[in-house]
Structures are given as C-alpha cells and as structure tokens.
C-alpha cells in the first residue's frame, strides 16, 4: 500500500518559513499535483517527501511507515526531474539500468526489466544510442524509464515537461498518466501550469505562500473554489466584495454587489456579512436571463478564435467576459445575465 500521509509539516530555512502546517494524505494509485506560483513551496514539499530535506516539524509516512528521518535511498520513492539528468556518456540502456546496477541486481534480471521498460516506453530502438542522439521527448521518456525501472511505490515529478515544446508536452502528459495508471503508482507531480494540473490530476493541491489554499479534484477547484486565490489562479475569475443581505430560501442568498443585486445559489456563506464572491468570465449569458441581469459597456475586445475576450465596465466596475459571439465591439452596451449557481461565494473579508 504506497500511501503518503503528511501531518503538520513545517519547513523553515533560517527565519524564513517555506511551508506551514501541511497535512494531506495521498491514496495508493492517486495522482496529486502540487500547483502554485513560483516560490510557494512546491519543490520544497517534493524534496521533503523524497527525503532530500528534513522537515523542521511534522511527519511523513509512506506505506504507513514513518520515513520523516529516512534517507532518500531507503524510501520507496523515485524522482523524475525537468532537466532529465541523464548521464551523457552512458547509452540509453545503461542510463535506464543505472539504479538497478547500484542495487547490485543480477544481470539477467536487469536485462528482463530493461526490455520490459523499453517496450512500455517505446524506446526499444534507442537503447544503444547516447542521450544527445535523442529528441527532448525521448530523453524525457528515458528519465521516466530510469525512475520506473526501480518499481517504486511512489513516483515524484518535478516539472518534468517544462523543457518540452507545447505539442510534445501534450503527448508526454498523456504518456506519463498512462504509465502511472498501468503501474498503479502513487504520484506527486509539481507544476506551475494550471492547465497541466487540471488535465492530469485526480486531485490538485494549490499552495500559496507555503500554505495549502485548497486540495480537491480539478472540477471542484474550478466549480467551488475555496478562496479568492484559488478562484483567480484556476481559470481566472471576476472577484468582487459583496454584502449578504438575506437568505431567500435555504442556500439561496441575496447579495448587494458592484453589479447591482444578485442572487447566489453557489456556496456556503461564511460567518460575517461582508464576503467575496466571484463568477467566471465564461459563465456570463448575453441577453438570456431574467434574474441577475446587468448592462455592461464594452471597453476592449480580443478575438481568440473559438471565443472572444471582452473587457467591460459595469457601474464603474471592470469585469472580463468570454463569449462565443465575435461580433461585439468596444463602445457597445450589452445585456448580461448570470445564473445564480454561477455566482460563487468565497471567504469572509
Ligand atoms: P518554483 O516554481 O520557482 O520552483 P517553488 O514553489 O518550487 O518555486 P520552492 O523552491 O519550494 O518554491 O521554494 C519555496 C521558498 O523557499 C522560496 O521562497 C525559496 O526561496 C525558499 N527556499 C527554498 N530552498 C531554500 C534554501 N535551501 N534556503 C533558503 N531558502 C530556500
């Protein structure tokens, strides 16, 4: 059972606290992504799980065994980096086998595992080549093979796709996920790319300033962000300060907002009457609704192909909209509506 259980983890570098009170459990075979802006503590958390750092406080269990003070080589983890870190003078085959040799695994067993790995990663024809004779995508697969051949229970990825171009990134993404599923590996994956996190993960842990803002499946992060930070970081949002003036029926709230009075059916109302609320640029309905309507003046327009981004002004409050209609231009007034379930309540101010 390659589970990961992290409890009350804290990491200080001198007086600077890089991670604060991190608690999370990762199930066997689960793919969890650490997502957040530069400096939020993603790599530090990965290094703590792999054993390259020791926490100031808190504990880490892998497969129910406390490994907080266990060195990396004695943890059931393998690490896959962004800079593939292949040995340039060793063949692809020798690179992949490297860890097995270190562990003094017999030659026939190494041969069997290498053949199996090369097959899984479509690297059979490359085994006698040197790393510089391979493309970036192939080198990334070698790095993956080198980690997977150790048959770890837990695989840790540190921005493994950041050296690849956009097209290759998509295909390696799919491949990483396929191999992780086929081998039922527990995976922790670091990225600062929100679309990568949403596309790949069972759950995404959003970190900001060393604390967890929210850890949830991608759909939940998008549809029910817990904080303004998550709402804005995942997909972008129009965030406004509102006043809750009443509950018209259970779970349905009346709000005073910069756009006028709006009804919200989405969220938990935290204690306190002044809160933040948000709505997604793409959830606006143009001229379709009879509730939650407001008039917006278009101030800017950016055609994006399948949709158009509009910047609008509503009562002096600027908002962003996305619409499939390409025929709306600056200076026009448009009638907008929001479904009450698309007005999402966030935290108290
Ligand atoms: P990036 O996306 O830029 O890689 P990150 O989220 O992975 O960022 P970390 O590398 O985990 O961020 O760093 C978190 C914070 O801890 C940063 O402010 C960083 O400067 C600090 N930090 C990391 N390692 C050390 C260290 N060895 N000594 C002092 N401060 C450190």
């Amino acid at each position: 059972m390659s589970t990961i259980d992290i409890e009350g983890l804290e990491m200080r570098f001198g007086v600077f606290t890089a991670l604060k009170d991190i608690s999370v459990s990762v199930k066997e075979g689960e793919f969890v992504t650490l997502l957040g802006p530069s400096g939020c503590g993603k790599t530090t958390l990965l290094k703590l799980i792999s054993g390259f750092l020791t926490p100031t406080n808190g504990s880490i269990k892998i497969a129910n065994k406390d490994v907080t003070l266990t060195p990396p080589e004695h943890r059931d983890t393998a690490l896959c980096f962004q800079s593939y870190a292949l040995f340039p003078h060793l063949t692809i085959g020798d690179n992949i086998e490297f860890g097995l040799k270190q562990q003094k695994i017999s030659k026939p067993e190494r041969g069997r595992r290498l053949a199996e790995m090369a097959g899984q990663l479509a690297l059979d024809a490359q085994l006698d080549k040197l790393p510089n004779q391979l493309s970036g995508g192939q080198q990334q697969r070698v790095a993956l093979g080198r980690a997977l051949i150790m048959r770890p229970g837990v695989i840790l990825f540190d921005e493994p796709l950041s050296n690849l171009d956009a097209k290759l990134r998509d295909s390696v993404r799919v491949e990483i996920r396929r191999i992780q599923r086929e081998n039922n590996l527990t995976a922790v994956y670091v990225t600062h790319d929100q679309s990568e996190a949403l596309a790949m993960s069972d759950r995404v842990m959003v970190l900001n300033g060393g604390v967890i803002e929210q850890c949830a499946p991608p759909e939940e992060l998008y549809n029910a962000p817990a904080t303004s930070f998550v709402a804005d970081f995942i997909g972008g949002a129009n965030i406004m300060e509102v006043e809750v003036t009443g509950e018209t029926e259970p779970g349905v709230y009346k709000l005073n907002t910069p756009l006028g009075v709006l009804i919200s059916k989405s969220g938990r109302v935290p204690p306190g009457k002044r809160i933040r609320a948000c709505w997604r640029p793409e959830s606006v309905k143009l001229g379709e609704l009879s509730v939650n309507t407001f008039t917006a003046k278009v101030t800017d327009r950016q055609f994006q192909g399948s949709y158009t981004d509009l910047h609008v002004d509503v009562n002096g409050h600027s908002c962003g909209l996305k619409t499939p209609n390409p025929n709306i231009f600056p200076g026009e007034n448009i009638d907008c509506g929001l479904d009450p379930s698309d007005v999402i309540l966030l935290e108290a101010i």
Side-chain angles (χ1 to χ4, degrees):
M1 282 289 284
S2 292
T3 48
I4 307 173
D5 293 287
I6 295 175
E7 190 62 51
L9 209 64
E10 181 187 80
M11 187 69 211
R12 285 199 300 265
F13 296 107
V15 292
F16 176 72
T17 304
L19 288 173
K20 222 178 311 182
D21 198 19
I22 303 289
S23 295
V24 65
S25 290
V26 182
K27 295 194 281 274
E28 185 176 51
E30 196 180 16
F31 193 109
V32 171
T33 296
L34 312 182
L35 175 71
S38 185
C40 69
K42 307 179 291 291
T43 302
T44 302
L45 184 49
L46 206 69
K47 284 182 179 166
L48 288 165
I49 298 171
S50 57
F52 290 99
L53 281 176
T54 306
T56 318
N57 273 308
S59 67
I60 301 173
K61 285 185 189 162
I62 293 178
N64 293 324
K65 185 172 153 243
D66 193 317
V67 294
T68 315
L69 302 174
T70 307
E73 63 275 19
H74 294 130
R75 298 188 184 199
D76 187 19
T77 57
L79 197 53
C80 202
F81 296 101
Q82 57 176 291
S83 55
Y84 325 117
L86 303 181
F87 299 112
H89 57 290
L90 295 186
T91 64
I92 298 309
D94 286 343
N95 262 288
I96 298 178
E97 276 192 338
F98 187 81
L100 295 182
K101 276 192 184 158
Q102 298 284 96
Q103 286 196 346
K104 310 232 180 318
I105 304 286
S106 73
K107 197 165 179 209
E109 173 65 11
R110 290 204 312 262
R112 264 195 301 277
R113 287 219 225 163
L114 177 61
E116 180 194 271
M117 208 70 257
Q120 256 198 22
L121 294 167
L123 286 168
D124 315 69
Q126 320 297 337
L127 295 179
D128 294 327
K129 294 185 181 167
L130 290 171
N132 67 6
Q133 295 173 297
L134 264 54
S135 70
Q138 288 170 326
Q139 289 187 47
Q140 185 56 67
R141 290 214 294 274
V142 178
L144 194 57
R146 199 175 50 177
L148 291 175
I149 204 166
M150 305 308 292
R151 298 192 176 151
V154 172
I155 186 153
L156 307 168
F157 295 96
D158 194 357
E159 308 230 19
L161 310 185
S162 55
N163 287 342
L164 306 181
D165 66 47
K167 197 154 175 264
L168 201 51
R169 215 178 294 156
D170 283 351
S171 64
V172 181
R173 222 188 234 187
V174 172
E175 210 159 346
I176 286 182
R177 199 58 170 116
R178 173 182 66 78
I179 290 165
Q180 178 265 338
R181 277 203 188 102
E182 281 177 6
N183 295 279
N184 196 34
L185 293 166
T186 306
V188 180
Y189 187 100
V190 163
T191 183
H192 60 262
D193 179 337
Q194 54 115 348
S195 67
E196 197 167 293
L198 293 182
M200 294 183 81
S201 319
D202 293 319
R203 272 189 305 156
V204 181
M205 181 198 281
V206 182
L207 285 167
N208 182 29
V211 298
I212 300 176
E213 293 265 341
Q214 190 171 6
C215 184
E219 297 78 6
E220 191 178 327
L221 282 184
Y222 181 79
N223 293 319
T227 65
S228 303
F229 179 84
V230 174
D232 198 39
F233 198 75
I234 306 287
N238 293 296
I239 298 173
M240 49 198 184
E241 296 189 1
V242 306
E243 185 185 4
V244 184
T245 55
E247 189 172 10
T248 55
E249 54 185 280
V252 180
Y253 301 96
K254 204 169 168 186
L255 314 173
N256 266 343
T257 84
L259 314 183
V261 173
L262 294 180
I263 303 293
S264 169
K265 248 197 222 174
S266 178
R268 322 135 290 260
V269 170
K273 291 213 153 190
R274 287 196 62 78
I275 64 168
R276 289 197 180 90
C278 78
W279 50 282
R280 301 284 181 193
E282 58 275 24
S283 62
V284 75
K285 312 269 191 304
L286 297 186
E288 276 181 33
L289 289 182
S290 53
V291 287
N292 286 350
T293 56
F294 53 92
T295 301
K297 189 178 181 78
V298 179
T299 54
D300 192 24
R301 163 193 186 271
Q302 286 164 12
F303 178 65
Q304 304 280 4
S306 59
Y307 64 91
T308 298
D309 276 323
L310 299 176
H311 291 268
V312 301
D313 179 284
V314 188
N315 308 329
H317 184 82
S318 54
C319 308
L321 316 181
K322 272 191 201 324
T323 170
N325 183 350
N327 300 314
I328 301 173
F329 295 91
E332 283 182 43
N333 284 317
I334 50 175
D335 292 326
C336 303
L338 287 171
D339 192 289
S341 60
D342 289 328
V343 180
I344 303 163
L345 303 177
L346 299 168
E347 72 271 313
I349 300 169

